[in-house]
Amino acid sequence: MHGPPTLPAFTAQLKAVEKRLRIKLEEVRAQLQHGGNKGSVAEAEFRQALGRFLPLRLSLSHGEVIDSFGARSAQCDLVAVSEQHPGWFRGEEPSLFLIEAVAVAAEIKAQLTSIELAKTIESCKKFRALKPRWNKHAEVIGGAEDIARYYRNPPFFLFAYESQLAISTIGERIAAAHD
């Protein structure tokens, strides 16, 4: 009988994905010199790996997010949209996404530096300032708490393969930017 993986099996699967991502990063660094090219490959690999663990109702791509008032995000390395989003985007091509159908956005860094963290914090602020037009009759899985947490202001995260910064430093800089 097949079912969901047990916790040890899931943990082993995640460790295998982590290993594969690290190997791919080494391979990219050996092949390419331009940071933008390395970053593009690292971003695509992460989107592909993450996509295996998300619900089928979500699609992953990258680009910019817009709200109904004309505000735009910075470029996002990862945008996960629900099945409610129009199908005008195509996989790995950068596109424009409607905030109302965005579940989450992210920055992906091969190497996190102080400068890249500062840029990511600014990108996060710009993304989180977007305001979806909320349809109170829209179907939502969850309750009022999920609406407030995920739909009115979708989350934004940072994934870094490696970091020049200590976790405590990252936390302090994020906290300082949040004040």
Side-chain angles (χ1 to χ4, degrees):
M1 183 166 129
H2 295 283
T6 62
L7 188 55
F10 185 69
T11 301
Q13 190 175 9
L14 284 177
K15 285 182 180 183
V17 169
E18 177 186 9
K19 185 176 182 180
R20 191 168 54 251
L21 287 172
R22 287 184 187 277
I23 289 169
K24 187 62 179 182
L25 184 60
E26 285 179 38
E27 181 183 327
V28 166
R29 284 181 172 156
Q31 290 176 354
L32 302 171
Q33 289 186 341
H34 188 272
N37 291 335
K38 288 184 224 179
S40 293
V41 173
E43 293 161 14
E45 288 294 322
F46 181 77
R47 282 191 298 271
Q48 182 181 18
L50 180 63
R52 296 179 55 218
F53 294 91
L54 293 178
L56 295 174
R57 66 181 187 80
L58 296 177
S59 297
L60 297 178
S61 192
H62 60 108
E64 299 172 31
V65 181
I66 190 168
D67 69 15
S68 297
F69 306 99
R72 282 185 187 240
S73 71
Q75 186 274 338
C76 298
D77 297 332
L78 179 145
V79 179
V81 296
S82 73
E83 71 278 3
Q84 303 299 320
H85 197 281
W88 63 58
F89 69 95
R90 295 290 177 249
E92 285 302 313
E93 294 178 16
S95 192
L96 182 63
F97 300 93
L98 305 174
I99 188 66
E100 288 82 2
V102 172
V104 64
E107 280 294 306
I108 303 165
K109 301 295 175 198
Q111 178 73 247
L112 184 63
T113 65
S114 291
I115 292 169
E116 291 300 322
L117 178 58
K119 288 179 186 176
T120 299
I121 289 169
E122 290 309 309
S123 292
C124 177
K125 286 179 178 179
K126 200 168 181 181
F127 175 79
R128 301 279 291 167
L130 298 176
K131 299 295 176 213
R133 286 186 188 239
W134 181 249
N135 176 351
K136 66 181 178 181
H137 302 291
E139 181 181 330
V140 176
I141 300 171
E145 189 175 302
D146 282 350
I147 291 170
R149 183 182 300 150
Y150 299 114
Y151 297 96
R152 288 208 176 112
N153 207 325
F156 185 96
F157 71 91
L158 164 67
F159 175 84
Y161 284 82
E162 297 174 342
S163 179
Q164 293 179 356
L165 307 172
I167 294 290
S168 59
T169 301
I170 295 168
E172 289 166 6
R173 291 190 185 168
I174 291 171
H178 190 59
D179 293 338

